[in-house]
Amino acid sequence: MQPATRADNNLARHWRLELQTEQKALQQAFMQKPNVSHLLQAQATLTDRILRALWQTFELDNEATLIAVGGYGRGELFPYSDVDILILLGNEASPETNRKIEELIGVLWDTGLAIGHSVRTLQECLIEAQSDVTVQTNLLEARYLDGHQALYANFLQTVASSMNVAKFFEAKIEEQHQRHARFNDTAYNLEPNIKESPGGLRDLQNIIWIARALHLGSNWRELVKNRILSKHAAQQLRRHERNLQMLRTRLHYLANRREDRLLFDFQNELAAQLGLTTTSRRRASEQLMFRFYQSAKFVGLINEILLQVLRERIYPEQHTVVSITNRFEAVNGLLETKSPTLLYDEPSAILESFLVLQQHPELKGMGAELLRALHRTKHEITPQFRSNPKNKALFIQILQQSRGITHTLKRMNRYGILGRYIPAFGRVSGQMQHDLFHVYTVDEHILNVLANLRRFARAECAHEFPLCSRLFQEFPKPYLLYLGALFHDIAKGRGGDHSTLGTIDARRFCKQHQLPAEDTELVAWLVEAHLVMSSTAQKSDLSDPAVVEKFAQYVSTEQRLIALYLLTVADIRGTSPKIWNAWKGSLLENLFRATQRILRGSNLNEELNARQQQAKEILSYYGVVEQAYQPLWQQMGPAYFMRHEAQLIAWNTRLLLTHINTQTPIVRARLSPAGDGIQTMIYMPDQADIFVRICSFFGRLGYNIVEAKVYTTQNGYALDNFLVLDQSDRKITYRDLLSFIEYELTQKLISQAPPDAPVQGRISRQVKHMPIKPEITIKQETESQYTLLDIATNDRPGLLSRIAHVLQQHHIRLHTAKINTLGNRAEDTFLISDQSGQRLNQNTLSQLEVSLHTQL
């Protein structure tokens, strides 16, 4: 590109000032009287004026045409959106023309316009459009700005005549599928994209693009005129479109850049701008997001309906009708009613339509007329409808089918039917959860949990969770698990314990649907207990038989244990793609198997003997005879075998056979047998600052400690086993990393210098906007001299190291630690005592609590 001249700089400076002044005036006017349609048009008009003025300056009229394309071509421009233009050439540009165009583009950028430009001949446009549907879409929305008018007219005619409507339609449908997949096919996450998410503005634009290709209109009014859309639906659609446009516009202004994600950073301020205030029931930001989710749901429904209608216009010859039942038929592979008034005349057909679709896998979905009828008749689902025995039987039948349960319930939710039939579910539809480990709204999370349960039923998924798949296949009434999933979080946001409140809802629902008493009690118990297994596995010392015994007493039967295990695995996996890992899976499976053995009659002594025998068998595989490790085991003491699993016992034993009385630290690391993370063993003469040094080391390395077993042998040695996870996506060579850990951690442990201070890292953006008030719970263990310390707070770099420093300052001895990170929330559990292993006195505990609050 040629260097800018003084004249170019002055020109750019003039129009940059003009642009900034006019944009500021538009923003101020919008804030005083928000009219989003007027603003978007005014933004485009302002840009038109600047582009035309600059175009005239460079005198390109006889050689090229300036065309607005894309969103700018529609005559709508969001505050910080790209300005897409096409400079259309009649022929290959001369060197002089190329020079002028380069200078023009440079000046446009210097004015502050976010220009997205292309310079092409008509032939090049056609070639690009044929290979890239995005280019073809941009050309479809072309709007003349300035330049050679005859060339523009020829362009419009050529683009229109070259359009293969059917091919364009299929490409846009595939593009939409891929875009939705990037968002896990849902808009119901906590920071949705207003433009790109399912139910976002792009879904509306997709309808218009295809309608334009068919010459059916370029706006909703024209689609009504051409009988693609009803007048009432168009009014509703325009209202939801304005809501999305308003949110996106305000978001641009708040971010002071192009930002289409409803980030936590902006939700509170955006809610305040819209006049929303926090009530006893909902925060202002929750009300804001609820509005978005309602718009996204309606847009998604209209998108589905209209794309079917447009498909019929494109393929009018493909019209096949096949009878399904005496009330339903398949039209072009989609379910429709034989009578257009069926759902009005017999509202039971609403639920029946979902059951019929479920029972006929050859159907691709519901037809446009049935979807419209469902939308219009969903208000027929009243208390009388819900009390009708026929409707109750239909709903239970849907849950009892062998296939299609997840898809059916998700459809029922998407079309607003599920929330009408189960009003408690309707109250959590679109409800945010103020934590970062639930990345979806409550209703979406519930249906994800149900989908995870259904995966256990699919033979092709059996390799993912073999134990869960086997248990599920053997479970006599799977629909009871689905009911447990539907109700487990249904009372979120009401205030009070959602498990207790949800139990009441579940029991009432089961009784209303005449489920046997034992089935009702199982579903109600599942809802009440749905958090207990994960809490026990992730916070308690599972190698302590007393912990497992207590859990077994709570569960009481093997059927309950199996049901709770299946629901717990499905629940954790349904919170966020990042929450589940092999370590959590191993904890749950270990607790399940240990509890199952107790429920089948195993006692404490038998458990301990079995654990030692299993360790002996593992050691024998390595050729280690019993006489070689008996001296070491004697020094371990019986408590060691109560608190460590057989595999870990065998690993520790192999490593320490010749190091019983070592004076230098023995540090060994390996990849965790559970499948996630690195297991590290430290053995050395006991000293007070070992835990602090280890936490500081792994914190600075960027690894999270998720489990620590800290033990002191009878000969005064510390034997600590840690499991650490790398939370980043770093590409590493594990052999080198293990060697690094062994060498560097050893150096830290033998160092005479004070332990490193905790890492002072940056708190994440999301944590700043979802702060958690630290909760510290201290409880004396009734079965031992230990004290249980529970800490729940915002996760941050160096958190565990901070806690370790506080424990050291108060001369507290750590026995076990379970470190659980759930999104932005850290839930850490420690089993502690005084230095001699005795119970801590109340004065020390009070001082400890004060110090922890100060640090957190």
Side-chain angles (χ1 to χ4, degrees):
M1 181 177 290
Q2 297 288 330
T5 65
R6 184 184 299 274
D8 289 346
N9 288 335
N10 290 336
L11 190 64
R13 191 178 302 112
H14 167 77
W15 286 110
R16 183 182 187 90
L17 181 61
E18 180 84 4
L19 178 66
Q20 291 173 345
T21 302
E22 292 292 328
Q23 285 182 331
K24 188 173 182 180
L26 286 174
Q27 182 177 356
Q28 289 173 344
F30 174 78
M31 290 303 177
Q32 290 173 3
K33 188 178 180 180
N35 184 322
V36 71
S37 298
H38 174 75
L39 174 71
L40 299 183
Q41 291 168 9
Q43 285 274 146
T45 301
L46 169 62
T47 305
D48 288 355
R49 180 160 61 85
I50 294 173
L51 285 176
R52 286 179 178 131
L54 288 170
W55 179 267
Q56 291 297 328
T57 302
F58 285 89
E59 300 177 345
L60 288 161
D61 280 6
N62 295 324
E63 302 168 77
T65 304
L66 181 63
I67 302 173
V69 293
Y72 177 42
R74 288 194 299 274
E76 297 178 345
L77 198 59
F78 286 87
Y80 287 93
S81 286
D82 288 345
V83 177
D84 293 328
I85 59 172
L86 165 66
I87 297 176
L88 183 66
L89 302 172
N91 299 294
E92 289 293 330
S94 67
E96 177 63 14
T97 299
N98 277 330
R99 182 189 64 78
K100 288 182 180 181
I101 291 173
E102 286 182 359
E103 290 181 5
L104 171 63
I105 298 301
V107 171
L108 290 176
W109 272 106
D110 290 342
T111 62
L113 290 170
I115 293 293
H117 71 282
S118 56
V119 182
R120 298 188 180 111
T121 64
L122 182 54
Q123 187 60 32
E124 288 171 340
C125 287
L126 295 178
I127 292 171
E128 288 293 325
Q130 288 172 2
S131 61
D132 188 342
V133 71
T134 304
V135 173
Q136 192 170 19
T137 306
N138 275 346
L139 299 182
L140 197 62
E141 296 185 302
R143 180 168 59 88
Y144 175 79
L145 290 175
D146 212 332
H148 200 306
Q149 289 189 337
L151 181 59
Y152 177 71
N154 186 31
F155 163 81
L156 286 183
Q157 183 180 359
T158 305
V159 168
S161 62
S162 67
M163 170 68 73
N164 182 324
V165 178
K167 187 177 179 181
F168 179 75
F169 174 81
E170 298 299 341
K172 296 308 291 183
I173 295 298
E174 178 59 27
E175 186 181 68
Q176 179 171 295
H177 287 329
Q178 292 177 0
R179 175 167 51 81
H180 287 185
R182 292 202 305 271
F183 298 94
N184 294 319
D185 291 306
T186 180
Y188 304 106
N189 51 56
L190 302 189
E191 294 184 314
N193 189 304
I194 300 172
K195 180 181 177 184
E196 302 286 350
S197 289
L201 288 167
R202 187 65 85 199
D203 281 4
L204 294 179
Q205 292 160 5
N206 218 19
I207 297 167
I208 294 296
W209 288 330
I210 295 168
R212 289 182 82 143
L214 281 163
H215 306 293
L216 292 172
S218 57
N219 55 53
W220 307 124
R221 185 178 60 257
E222 292 175 0
L223 263 63
V224 171
K225 183 179 177 181
N226 287 304
R227 298 186 178 182
I228 301 298
L229 189 63
S230 72
K231 186 175 181 180
H232 176 66
Q235 291 170 344
Q236 288 181 288
L237 189 52
R238 187 70 188 106
R239 177 167 54 85
H240 287 293
E241 183 181 40
R242 279 196 297 268
N243 180 41
L244 296 178
Q245 290 174 333
M246 178 69 75
L247 290 174
R248 189 181 180 206
T249 297
R250 290 184 178 276
L251 197 54
H252 278 209
Y253 281 139
L254 280 174
N256 203 30
R257 65 177 188 273
R258 187 178 70 176
E259 178 57 80
D260 298 330
R261 298 167 298 163
L262 273 168
L263 301 176
F264 296 129
D265 311 51
F266 308 116
Q267 288 177 10
N268 289 328
E269 194 170 350
L270 195 50
Q273 284 189 9
L274 293 171
L276 302 174
T277 57
T278 297
T279 67
S280 59
R281 296 259 325 172
R282 277 185 174 174
R283 302 183 191 187
S285 60
E286 288 180 332
Q287 297 170 48
L288 167 79
M289 297 307 295
F290 180 76
R291 287 187 182 184
F292 167 78
Y293 297 130
Q294 291 299 103
S295 291
K297 178 175 281 191
F298 185 81
V299 168
L301 175 63
I302 288 295
N303 175 269
E304 185 175 353
I305 291 173
L306 294 189
L307 289 182
Q308 287 187 24
V309 173
L310 293 171
R311 179 184 286 277
E312 290 173 3
R313 293 293 184 102
I314 295 170
Y315 302 108
E317 73 284 356
Q318 296 180 4
H319 188 76
T320 59
V321 179
V322 178
S323 179
I324 300 293
T325 69
N326 62 334
R327 287 145 56 107
F328 293 93
E329 62 188 10
V331 179
N332 296 333
L334 298 169
L335 184 68
E336 291 282 11
T337 57
K338 290 184 175 179
S339 165
T341 62
L342 175 63
L343 270 58
Y344 302 88
D345 299 337
E346 299 182 56
S348 289
I350 294 173
L351 292 182
E352 186 184 352
S353 67
F354 289 96
L355 180 60
V356 170
L357 180 64
Q358 193 178 11
Q359 292 173 335
H360 290 271
E362 72 276 9
L363 295 173
K364 295 177 290 186
M366 291 180 166
E369 292 308 315
L370 176 54
L371 289 175
R372 284 172 168 148
L374 285 170
H375 182 64
R376 292 167 184 157
T377 60
K378 63 185 179 184
H379 299 290
E380 297 291 325
I381 304 177
T382 61
Q384 291 74 25
F385 180 100
R386 292 188 285 270
S387 63
N388 186 322
K390 181 179 180 180
N391 295 330
K392 290 190 283 191
L394 282 168
F395 187 80
I396 295 299
Q397 273 186 274
I398 288 171
L399 295 179
Q400 290 176 332
Q401 296 301 300
S402 60
R403 62 168 305 279
I405 296 168
T406 300
H407 288 307
T408 300
L409 290 177
K410 286 194 172 185
R411 283 181 191 275
M412 292 176 73
N413 185 44
R414 192 160 70 243
Y415 305 151
I417 304 300
L418 188 57
R420 297 287 302 183
Y421 188 75
I422 306 178
F425 191 90
R427 287 194 288 272
V428 296
S429 179
Q431 180 176 310
M432 293 178 66
Q433 304 188 67
H434 280 270
D435 54 60
L436 294 178
F437 64 97
H438 283 97
V439 300
Y440 305 111
T441 56
V442 179
D443 57 324
E444 191 72 10
H445 163 70
I446 287 173
L447 294 176
N448 283 342
V449 173
L450 191 138
N452 288 336
L453 284 170
R454 287 295 302 157
R455 279 186 84 79
F456 300 151
R458 295 168 56 185
E460 65 270 25
C461 299
H463 64 283
E464 297 177 352
F465 296 90
L467 176 60
C468 290
S469 295
R470 178 174 62 78
L471 294 172
F472 190 93
Q473 297 292 340
E474 297 170 355
F475 200 81
K477 296 180 180 180
Y479 78 95
L480 300 180
L481 299 176
Y482 309 148
L483 285 171
L486 277 175
F487 283 91
H488 82 285
D489 274 355
I490 208 166
K492 283 279 185 78
R494 290 192 210 166
D497 185 340
H498 77 277
S499 299
T500 302
L501 296 173
T503 301
I504 296 170
D505 290 343
R507 183 175 279 112
R508 183 189 301 119
F509 180 90
C510 292
K511 287 181 177 179
Q512 289 171 345
H513 287 72
Q514 285 86 48
L515 266 65
E518 62 272 20
D519 291 350
T520 297
E521 288 310 307
L522 176 60
V523 173
W525 180 85
L526 267 180
V527 175
E528 183 179 39
H530 76 272
L531 296 174
V532 175
M533 191 169 195
S534 61
S535 176
T536 302
Q538 295 178 35
K539 292 188 175 184
S540 301
D541 183 5
L542 300 186
S543 55
D544 183 350
V547 169
V548 184
E549 180 73 42
K550 183 178 178 181
F551 179 71
Q553 290 174 0
Y554 175 80
V555 173
S556 76
T557 70
E558 193 168 346
Q559 185 194 34
R560 282 186 170 187
L561 173 65
I562 292 170
L564 184 57
Y565 174 62
L566 291 171
L567 179 59
T568 301
V569 173
D571 188 15
I572 296 176
R573 292 184 64 228
T575 56
S576 162
K578 298 179 180 179
I579 290 297
W580 181 264
N581 55 44
W583 172 67
K584 290 181 181 178
S586 176
L587 289 178
L588 290 170
E589 185 171 336
N590 289 343
L591 178 57
F592 171 81
R593 292 188 183 280
T595 306
Q596 187 182 52
R597 288 194 294 269
I598 290 175
L599 292 174
R600 289 179 175 181
S602 176
N603 59 40
L604 179 60
N605 287 332
E606 289 172 341
E607 278 292 299
L608 288 176
N609 289 336
R611 188 175 298 179
Q612 286 190 333
Q613 188 57 43
Q614 187 180 354
K616 289 178 180 179
E617 290 177 6
I618 295 172
L619 288 166
S620 69
Y621 298 152
Y622 293 92
V624 183
V625 296
E626 189 170 345
Q627 292 85 347
Y629 53 80
Q630 276 306 319
L632 175 65
W633 279 22
Q634 288 172 5
Q635 294 295 342
M636 297 294 196
Y640 170 79
F641 297 98
M642 291 178 62
R643 293 178 48 207
H644 295 76
E645 299 87 358
Q647 190 179 66
L648 190 57
I649 293 169
W651 188 54
N652 289 170
T653 301
R654 288 195 298 112
L655 297 175
L656 299 177
L657 281 175
T658 59
H659 301 287
I660 297 177
N661 298 310
T662 181
Q663 293 304 303
T664 57
I666 303 298
V667 180
R668 297 291 183 269
R670 68 172 180 175
L671 295 182
S672 170
D676 266 351
I678 294 171
Q679 204 165 42
T680 306
M681 182 202 76
I682 299 97
Y683 181 77
M684 63 183 291
D686 199 12
Q687 60 189 53
D689 62 359
I690 294 177
F691 185 62
V692 174
R693 291 181 181 275
I694 294 170
C695 291
S696 297
F697 171 78
F698 282 116
R700 290 180 180 277
L701 194 60
Y703 275 72
N704 284 353
I705 297 172
V706 294
E707 185 174 45
K709 289 180 179 292
V710 180
Y711 183 75
T712 305
T713 67
Q714 292 182 348
N715 61 334
Y717 275 71
L719 174 54
D720 301 345
N721 287 276
F722 289 77
L723 182 65
V724 298
L725 296 178
D726 182 9
Q727 300 301 310
S728 71
D729 294 323
R730 291 175 290 189
K731 300 297 182 183
I732 54 177
T733 304
Y734 277 105
R735 179 177 296 179
D736 294 341
L737 177 62
L738 299 180
S739 299
F740 176 84
I741 290 172
E742 291 175 355
Y743 176 78
E744 293 295 335
L745 182 52
T746 300
Q747 299 307 305
K748 292 290 183 184
L749 293 171
I750 63 177
S751 172
Q752 298 301 309
D756 293 332
V759 174
Q760 300 294 326
R762 292 175 60 187
I763 296 176
S764 73
R765 170 183 62 81
Q766 288 132 325
V767 167
K768 288 180 182 177
H769 294 279
M770 280 199 174
I772 297 169
K773 184 179 180 181
E775 300 172 13
I776 299 172
T777 306
I778 298 175
K779 185 173 68 174
Q780 299 287 3
E781 290 279 271
T782 55
E783 303 91 353
S784 68
Q785 297 300 306
Y786 302 138
T787 299
L788 194 66
L789 169 64
D790 266 330
I791 299 174
T793 187
N794 278 318
D795 189 32
R796 71 198 76 168
L799 173 64
L800 187 57
S801 186
R802 288 171 181 265
I803 296 171
H805 274 82
V806 172
L807 296 179
Q808 184 190 9
Q809 290 164 10
H810 290 274
H811 309 291
I812 288 173
R813 183 174 167 188
L814 176 70
H815 296 273
T816 63
K818 285 284 184 73
I819 316 301
N820 193 23
T821 304
L822 302 168
N824 65 329
R825 182 182 179 90
E827 295 185 355
D828 301 347
T829 304
F830 307 90
L831 207 58
I832 56 177
S833 72
D834 67 14
Q835 286 297 329
S836 63
Q838 297 303 305
R839 181 167 293 182
L840 291 160
N841 61 54
Q842 192 57 48
N843 183 51
T844 302
L845 292 175
S846 298
Q847 293 176 7
L848 172 63
E849 187 170 1
V850 171
S851 296
L852 286 170
H853 272 296
T854 302
Q855 278 293 325
L856 302 177

